Amino acid sequence: MIEHTYQLVFIGAALFLFAVFASIISRRLGAPLLLIFLLLGMLAGEDGIGGIHFDDIDTAFLIGNLALAIIIFDGGLGTRMDTFRSSLRPALSLATVGVFLTAGITGAAACYILDLPWQEGLLIGAIVGSTDAAAVFGLIKNAGLNLKDRTGATLEIESGSNDPMAIFLTITLVEALSSPAGLSGWLLLAELAKQMGLGLLFGVLGGYAIPAALGKITLPVSLYPLMVFAAALTLFGGTSFSGGSGFLAIYIAGVMTGTTSSLYMNDIRRFHDGIAWLSQIGMFLMLGLLVTPSLLPPIIIPALIIAGILIFIARPLAVAVSLLPFRFPVRDQVFVSWCGLRGAVPIILALFPSLAGLENARIYFELVFFVVLTSLVIQGWTIAPMARWLKVDLPVTLKLPSFKSTHLPSNPHKDLVVYQVVAGSSVIGKSIYQLVLPVSAQVVALIRDEIPLNSNEENTLQESDQVVIVATTGMAEKLADLFSPALSRMSSKQSSSYFGDFTIRPNSKLGDLALLYTFDIPDELKHLTVGEHIKRKFRGRPVVGDALTFPQLKLTVKEMKNGEISLIGLKLNLDS
């Protein structure tokens, strides 16, 4: 027994170690890292070189749910509140209407292809109906994509909040198939309202309670991340036990906790980032062990057809209908459609029929597994090239410099902010006395190579220096503009290709541009400024990267300040 225990420890740790080193292979091949984890699990399984036999559905379900909760909470911690607000409505439309339409179209196809009763076909559609937070968060981060705010935030919020609808549909159809009496329409609506309502309620309560506890409870520094971790899982378990959506609750709590200016927030984020990686590795290795590859060949052809319908028909139609009221640009819609990756969530949901003892449970699981595998290969492998082809990936030079902030313990109205000086910043070569700061902000330290320097004019700022500033609470992001790359130094080939070689102000008249570049526009637009026209086209919420195309030129939002357009790129000689 003791030897068997040590053997399990050795095998488990070795698998995790191989999975960690697999990230090197993933970067070199451009393969989705989650796919590598899944394949490693299959290689270690009963049909692979490891020969490990694992078919414990109950354990897999428990581990999968915990891992998903941790990943979704970590995704919430990394979501900025301003982008959350701007993209909430389209994301919720995708998470509800989009999931319902995707499930319906895919389910109808499954009914026809597999010759199943409509309830069983719709069950397959419901299981694969939601995008996967682990897949979306992980692939966008690993691909190094700098997506437009509207697109990136919509994808993150959708993938973090669309599980309740998929879980609701799956549980409902499983109950309908396992119960001779079935379920009435009113009961279905009541169940949906209960899951969404309790998930929202408990999520908001948790989102207030966790930050409040951080500010009032005194603990050893290393215990704060553990406290947040335990509180998040308690919230998830309590909400789920009460009949609500634990995934929705933990995501909302993560978003609200992540916006807290706590002294320990950086430690909390680093801890949860590591735990989320551990959860992804463990979950996908386990799911790889759970599948038996030798049983897959009979379902490969129908699974490929269903995956093709899901990827190329159901998801794009669902996205088009869901985003219709929000006037999303076509390029953004296509990319959102392509990012409908299926990952661990459908595989975990595919365990529900087994837990309920349904007759074709094994077929559901194997079919869904292969659909997920196909999605990760086709969509996951091409997500970065697709973003660049559709031009929803902004040049890297436009990223704001990273900064970390926390409240001063002695004054809750003051923040201590640490900025990193990035390449191309206009402050390089200046001393800290030459920085133009508001009266409510003051430089308190200059750090180079982890060593504080004396505050004198001889110490000019260099790339990778860290500048520590005390400022009024809420000013951190505005001050970040000071350390941004200077526009005069952003004449790189990538930036010019995206924005063009010319820059104009948003108050330039559209009629003047039409006259200068000899193209026609309606008379009612001639009196508008370029900035006003862009705001109209994007419903008052433009973001960097939004563009208008005319016969001789293209106008692209190049810079935003305080929610307003400050600079616009002008690109000539378009092929149109």
Side-chain angles (χ1 to χ4, degrees), residues 175-442:
E175 289 180 355
L177 286 168
S178 58
S179 170
L183 293 173
S184 70
W186 288 112
L187 286 176
L188 295 182
L189 291 174
E191 181 64 24
L192 176 61
K194 181 182 177 183
Q195 283 215 21
M196 300 291 280
L198 288 178
L200 181 62
L201 174 63
F202 282 105
V204 172
L205 291 175
Y208 280 111
I210 294 174
L214 283 174
K216 293 181 179 179
I217 298 175
T218 302
L219 294 169
V221 174
S222 56
L223 287 184
Y224 284 101
L226 288 174
M227 183 197 77
V228 172
F229 176 71
L233 288 183
T234 301
L235 175 67
F236 170 74
T239 307
S240 301
F241 182 73
S242 302
S245 171
F247 294 110
L248 179 60
I250 204 171
Y251 179 71
I252 292 172
V255 172
M256 295 176 69
T257 302
T259 59
T260 304
S261 298
S262 169
L263 187 64
Y264 312 103
M265 190 49 64
N266 291 327
D267 294 330
I268 290 167
R269 285 197 179 97
R270 280 193 292 267
F271 172 83
H272 280 86
D273 191 48
I275 291 294
W277 271 111
L278 179 68
S279 300
Q280 288 191 60
I281 293 172
M283 179 170 56
F284 277 85
L285 286 175
M286 179 200 68
L287 294 174
L289 287 171
L290 196 61
V291 73
T292 306
S294 59
L295 299 178
L296 294 179
I299 55 91
I300 288 178
I301 300 301
L304 281 173
I305 297 172
I306 291 171
I309 291 171
L310 171 65
I311 294 170
F312 297 107
I313 298 176
R315 171 70 177 178
L317 283 175
V319 168
V321 173
S322 301
L323 297 182
L324 188 62
F326 306 103
R327 295 184 188 173
F328 255 59
V330 175
R331 292 176 184 271
D332 296 53
Q333 285 193 43
V334 173
F335 186 71
V336 169
S337 298
W338 196 249
C339 281
L341 283 95
R342 271 58 193 171
V345 173
I347 301 177
I348 297 298
L349 292 181
L351 298 176
F352 277 89
S354 295
L355 293 170
L358 295 185
E359 182 181 354
N360 295 322
R362 191 71 200 182
I363 296 174
Y364 300 148
F365 180 80
E366 291 162 359
L367 183 76
V368 169
F369 183 89
F370 202 86
V371 168
V372 169
L373 201 63
T374 305
S375 174
L376 286 175
V377 170
I378 294 177
Q379 294 170 291
W381 219 308
T382 57
I383 193 170
M386 185 67 74
R388 296 181 183 109
W389 179 63
L390 292 170
K391 298 183 179 178
V392 296
D393 181 39
L394 301 177
V396 176
T397 50
L398 289 175
K399 289 184 177 178
L400 279 175
S402 60
F403 63 88
K404 299 173 182 177
S405 65
T406 184
H407 285 317
L408 286 177
S410 58
N411 187 347
H413 302 295
K414 289 283 188 178
D415 285 346
L416 188 69
V417 193
V418 182
Y419 295 97
Q420 176 129 1
V421 179
V422 298
S425 173
S426 58
V427 302
I428 292 177
K430 295 181 179 180
S431 74
I432 58 174
Y433 298 106
Q434 293 175 295
L435 299 181
V436 181
L437 298 173
V439 293
S440 57
Q442 180 181 356

Side-chain angles (χ1 to χ4, degrees), residues 417-419 421 435 443 445-447 461 465-469 483:
V417 193
V418 182
Y419 295 97
V421 179
L435 299 181
V443 177
L446 170 61
I447 301 172
L461 294 172
D465 282 354
Q466 291 180 310
V467 181
V468 185
I469 295 177
F483 301 91

Side-chain angles (χ1 to χ4, degrees), residues 403-566:
F403 63 88
K404 299 173 182 177
S405 65
T406 184
H407 285 317
L408 286 177
S410 58
N411 187 347
H413 302 295
K414 289 283 188 178
D415 285 346
L416 188 69
V417 193
V418 182
Y419 295 97
Q420 176 129 1
V421 179
V422 298
S425 173
S426 58
V427 302
I428 292 177
K430 295 181 179 180
S431 74
I432 58 174
Y433 298 106
Q434 293 175 295
L435 299 181
V436 181
L437 298 173
V439 293
S440 57
Q442 180 181 356
V443 177
V444 294
L446 170 61
I447 301 172
R448 181 174 300 154
D449 298 327
E450 301 183 3
I451 301 173
L453 302 181
N454 294 327
S455 298
N456 57 59
E457 294 189 7
E458 295 178 1
N459 288 324
T460 56
L461 294 172
Q462 300 178 11
E463 183 182 341
S464 299
D465 282 354
Q466 291 180 310
V467 181
V468 185
I469 295 177
V470 172
T472 303
T473 298
M475 292 188 61
E477 193 161 336
K478 295 179 182 178
L479 290 174
D481 286 338
L482 185 66
F483 301 91
S484 299
L487 289 170
S488 60
R489 303 187 188 189
M490 286 175 54
S491 56
S492 67
K493 190 174 182 180
Q494 184 186 22
S495 181
S496 296
S497 174
Y498 192 91
F499 293 104
D501 295 316
F502 304 96
T503 300
I504 64 173
R505 296 289 176 183
N507 58 359
S508 303
K509 292 288 185 181
L510 202 55
D512 294 341
L513 284 179
L515 186 63
L516 181 62
Y517 292 102
T518 62
F519 61 90
D520 294 325
I521 58 172
D523 290 338
E524 62 267 20
L525 298 182
K526 290 181 179 179
H527 71 283
L528 292 177
T529 66
V530 177
E532 289 170 343
H533 188 44
I534 291 176
K535 287 186 74 173
R536 279 190 179 187
K537 282 290 185 182
F538 294 97
R539 308 196 77 175
R541 294 180 181 272
V543 296
V544 171
D546 281 344
L548 296 178
T549 301
F550 297 96
Q552 273 74 33
L553 54 85
K554 180 180 180 181
L555 301 172
T556 308
V557 178
K558 189 171 186 177
E559 182 183 87
M560 299 281 297
K561 286 187 177 180
N562 301 325
E564 296 293 332
I565 302 171
S566 54

